[in-house]
């Protein structure tokens, strides 16, 4: 496919700017370019075709199955985008007087109320813009609490090795020393190792649950008890909350702080560089340290109204104003649409779909951890690699020929030749059956004609790009000179 620059023709253009009908203001010479910018010149139809052609070459949820793991929901209802696009929200200015944007404050107040109810927390901030940003913020709350009590020797954060990679990174960004503890064979936290690791220098524990291998730690109550008895606080990485939302609450399991990824669980697409939101919820004793301002509800002259309130001992801002507000609007629209019945139903379907696929694939594919999973499961292709020389990468690439987006590859790191599959809650059984059938066919090929898989995919616009070069030396700019003819 030609680039837009190669498609253009001198003089072929459309007039999109109306002719000047006022006197020209003029820019100072120093502000002007010496030469006109080199832009492709095309007609409207050509441009429209160009971008349609590009769109056809990508694979998204609207094209087919998308079982990428550690990403949770891919169902981002369009109606929620419409809600977030309402002029009253889009045109609000963050410095507008409170009386003039009561609706936006109500959104923040309601979203906080419902998300606190879902997580079992007492207060929440919407300032953090991503999951990892939420972790950083949550740890700052923990730190502020210890420091406030004068307990300054607590310098360690315990992170099991089944945690998301951002957990140890955030802890170390906060100036903490990270103590990693290995998981047991069954993928759960090793309680003996945990007991040995805690002490009067433990600031807290960060637990990803369900963990990165898709399991709900069955000893979770014991885990939080051990940490609390040592005087530490417990942090719950709730980025993948859609396996448990409406069913189990971190706040009831002994956790003091939790972050959510609204751009994974509550109706905003994850990835692609769009705005995200990683709200942090906490128990009441940590609420005074929250960043930003919370929208609180009050009665004034018999009328319900909202105002912003800054927490007294606030750690300060972690982002401007109220975070990515429109993402919160979408989350609230999603929660209100699903309601008390729909939220746990979405979670149950996510778990059901994952277990359905896991069971159907277990005849030939080796699972990293046997038994039921939560919303995702991890296969290991180590055996197949030894037997037939076919890697997780080969299997993932072959899936593209079946119109399926590959699952997450080579993650989590604690599983070799990992493929992490997350079917998500909205896929009907037919789609899951087709995917299972495709994976069975691929497995058969892997055993019978392994060489054929090394070259896959065959049906996509490009085969196997050089991923290292693409990552290390990306070409993100068109150089006219090099292409001059
Ligand atoms: C995605 C994810 C994160 C990080 O979220 P970002 O928004 O990408 O920073 C943290 N923890 C878990 C378990 C995740 O799945």
């Amino acid at each position: 496919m030609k680039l837009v620059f190669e498609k253009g023709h001198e003089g072929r253009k459309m007039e999109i700017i109306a002719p000047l009908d006022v006197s020209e203001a003029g820019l100072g010479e120093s502000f002007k370019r010496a030469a006109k910018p080199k832009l492709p010149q095309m007609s409207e139809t050509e441009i429209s075709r160009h971008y349609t052609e590009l769109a056809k070459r990508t694979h998204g949820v609207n094209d087919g199955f998308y079982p990428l793991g550690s990403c949770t929901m891919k169902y981002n209802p369009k109606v929620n985008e419409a809600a977030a696009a309402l002029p009253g929200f889009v045109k609000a200015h963050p410095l507008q007087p409170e009386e003039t944007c009561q609706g936006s404050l109500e959104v923040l107040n309601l979203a906080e109320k419902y998300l606190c109810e879902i997580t079992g927390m007492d207060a929440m901030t919407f300032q953090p813009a991503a999951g990892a940003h939420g972790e950083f913020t949550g740890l700052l709350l923990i730190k502020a609490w210890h420091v406030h009590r004068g307990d300054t020797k607590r310098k360690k954060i315990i992170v099991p090795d089944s945690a998301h990679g951002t957990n140890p990174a955030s802890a170390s960004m906060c100036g903490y020393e990270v103590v990693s503890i290995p998981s047991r064979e069954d993928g759960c936290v090793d309680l003996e190792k945990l007991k040995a690791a805690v002490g009067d220098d433990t600031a807290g524990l960060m637990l990803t649950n369900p963990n990165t291998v898709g399991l709900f730690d069955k000893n979770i109550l014991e885990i939080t008890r051990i940490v609390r008895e040592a005087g530490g606080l417990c942090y719950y990485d709730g980025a993948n909350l859609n396996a448990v939302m409406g069913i189990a609450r971190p706040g009831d399991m002994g956790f003091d702080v939790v972050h959510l990824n609204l751009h994974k669980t509550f109706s905003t697409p994850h990835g692609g560089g769009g705005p995200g939101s990683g709200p942090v919820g906490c128990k009441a004793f940590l609420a005074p340290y929250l960043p930003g301002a919370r929208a609180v509800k009050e009665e004034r002259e018999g009328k319900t109204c909202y105002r912003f309130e800054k927490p007294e001992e606030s750690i300060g801002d972690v982002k401007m104003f109220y975070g990515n507000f429109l993402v919160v609007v979408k989350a609230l629209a999603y929660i209100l649409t699903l309601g008390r019945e729909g939220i746990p139903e979405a979670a149950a379907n996510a778990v059901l779909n994952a277990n359905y696929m896991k069971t159907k694939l277990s005849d030939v594919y080796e699972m990293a951890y046997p038994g039921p999973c939560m919303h995702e499961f991890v296969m290991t292709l180590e055996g197949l690699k030894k037997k037939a020389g076919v890697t997780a990468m080969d299997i993932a690439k072959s899936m593209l020929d079946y119109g399926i987006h590959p699952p997450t590859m080579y993650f989590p790191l604690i599983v070799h030749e990992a493929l992490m599959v997350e079917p998500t809650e909205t896929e009907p059984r037919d789609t899951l059956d087709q995917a299972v059938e495709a994976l069975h066919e691929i497995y058969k090929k892997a055993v019978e004609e392994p060489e054929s898989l090394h070259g896959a995919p065959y049906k996509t616009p490009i085969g196997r790009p050089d991923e290292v070069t693409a990552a290390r030396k990306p070409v993100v700019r068109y150089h006219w000179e090099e292409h001059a003819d």
Side-chain angles (χ1 to χ4, degrees):
M1 182 181 164
K2 278 188 176 172
L3 297 177
V4 73
F5 300 101
E6 294 155 354
K7 284 182 179 171
H9 283 279
E10 186 72 33
R12 189 179 296 167
K13 58 179 180 178
M14 14 166 214
E15 297 294 350
I16 49 169
I17 300 174
L20 189 67
D21 60 358
V22 291
S23 57
E24 203 171 327
L27 268 182
E29 282 308 311
S30 62
F31 296 111
K32 287 188 183 165
R33 292 171 177 269
K36 277 189 177 177
K38 279 203 161 203
L39 295 173
Q41 301 188 27
M42 300 171 90
S43 71
E44 182 177 345
T45 316
E46 283 176 305
I47 291 180
S48 159
R49 285 192 187 141
H50 176 74
Y51 285 105
T52 305
E53 193 181 346
L54 272 180
K56 280 188 194 156
R57 291 159 69 97
T58 64
H59 183 97
V61 263
N62 293 331
D63 299 293
F65 192 37
Y66 206 110
L68 198 64
S70 195
C71 217
T72 63
M73 72 177 283
K74 284 92 188 176
Y75 174 52
N76 304 301
K78 310 284 181 282
V79 65
N80 298 344
E81 299 289 340
L86 289 173
F89 294 135
V90 179
K91 294 189 176 161
H93 191 280
L95 293 174
Q96 212 170 304
E98 285 166 11
E99 319 80 79
T100 64
C101 51
Q102 286 288 300
S104 297
L105 269 81
E106 187 177 0
V107 165
L108 289 170
N109 179 274
L110 276 182
E112 175 174 354
K113 179 175 151 206
Y114 293 137
L115 289 170
C116 279
E117 193 174 329
I118 290 169
T119 51
M121 294 290 148
D122 300 316
M124 190 168 273
T125 173
F126 290 105
Q127 260 198 357
H133 197 188
E135 293 166 23
F136 179 70
T137 307
L139 288 169
L140 286 180
L141 299 181
I142 292 178
K143 194 170 195 174
W145 185 71
H146 287 309
V147 169
H148 203 82
R149 292 180 309 118
D151 194 349
T152 48
K153 63 187 173 307
R154 297 189 179 270
K155 300 224 181 299
K156 292 182 181 167
I157 291 281
I158 297 170
V159 186
D161 67 359
S162 60
H164 194 265
T166 48
N167 292 186
S170 302
S172 116
M173 285 274 292
C174 272
Y176 280 122
E177 187 185 322
V178 177
V179 181
S180 172
I181 50 169
S183 310
R184 283 186 326 211
E185 283 263 287
D186 64 0
C188 294
V189 171
D190 188 324
L191 292 182
E192 293 315 311
K193 297 247 162 65
L194 176 63
K195 280 183 197 153
V198 295
D200 62 2
D201 57 354
T202 304
L205 161 101
M206 291 181 91
L207 196 78
T208 300
N209 191 66
N211 62 19
T212 54
V213 295
L215 302 177
F216 190 109
D217 202 303
K218 57 179 185 272
N219 300 314
I220 201 152
L221 295 175
E222 185 65 8
I223 292 171
T224 54
R225 194 184 58 78
I226 293 169
V227 176
R228 292 165 81 94
E229 277 177 7
L233 297 186
C234 297
Y235 184 99
Y236 188 99
D237 178 335
N240 296 333
L241 199 79
N242 79 331
V244 301
M245 63 179 184
I247 296 171
R249 310 193 312 164
D252 299 335
M253 302 174 216
F255 289 90
D256 308 287
V257 194
V258 55
H259 90 259
L260 303 174
N261 276 35
L262 298 189
H263 51 288
K264 275 185 183 173
T265 312
F266 294 95
S267 181
T268 285
H270 179 241
S277 176
V280 172
C282 64
K283 291 287 190 182
F285 73 98
L286 291 173
Y289 305 107
L290 283 172
R294 289 171 63 207
V296 296
K297 186 171 165 178
E298 63 181 15
E299 297 295 321
R300 222 182 288 152
E301 292 156 15
K303 266 177 51 190
T304 302
C305 45
Y306 299 88
R307 65 179 169 81
F308 282 119
E309 192 175 88
K310 271 212 167 289
E312 311 112 58
E313 306 283 343
S314 177
I315 55 167
D317 286 351
V318 295
K319 196 178 189 306
M320 280 188 294
F321 301 110
Y322 323 110
N324 285 325
F325 172 67
L326 298 176
V327 179
V328 183
V329 175
K330 286 190 269 180
L332 180 64
Y334 180 76
I335 293 169
L336 292 174
T337 315
L338 291 193
R340 203 179 283 277
E341 299 78 29
I343 297 264
E345 196 183 324
N349 283 335
V351 174
L352 178 66
N353 279 358
N355 280 287
Y356 180 78
M357 267 193 87
K358 183 178 185 188
T359 309
K360 288 243 161 184
L361 289 172
S362 290
D363 53 353
V364 289
Y365 284 94
E366 190 185 335
M367 297 298 155
Y369 302 93
C373 58
M374 295 304 285
H375 60 299
E376 61 193 0
F377 59 92
V378 183
M379 312 199 280
T380 168
L381 280 299
E382 215 178 4
L384 188 67
K385 188 177 169 186
K386 281 201 191 108
K387 190 161 95 181
V390 169
T391 62
M393 173 77 98
D394 293 332
I395 302 281
K397 293 284 184 191
S398 303
M399 289 171 79
L400 288 164
D401 284 334
Y402 289 85
I404 300 173
H405 190 284
T408 296
M409 306 181 292
Y410 298 98
F411 181 86
L413 302 177
I414 52 177
V415 176
H416 295 293
E417 292 297 321
L419 281 185
M420 178 193 235
V421 184
E422 181 177 358
T424 75
E425 72 283 3
T426 39
E427 294 301 342
R429 189 167 152 184
D430 311 4
T431 311
L432 303 182
D433 285 336
Q434 281 159 20
V436 167
E437 200 180 311
L439 277 161
H440 277 145
E441 264 181 45
I442 295 170
Y443 193 90
K444 200 160 163 264
K445 262 193 220 157
V447 178
E448 290 171 3
E449 36 168 329
E451 322 73 48
S452 75
L453 295 197
H454 300 324
Y458 298 103
K459 298 183 188 162
T460 50
I462 53 169
R464 294 202 188 193
D466 179 344
E467 290 173 16
V468 176
T469 306
R472 298 275 158 81
K473 295 181 194 154
V475 180
V476 291
R477 187 175 150 236
Y478 187 75
H479 293 274
W480 288 93
E481 320 78 62
E482 289 168 23
H483 297 275
D485 45 14

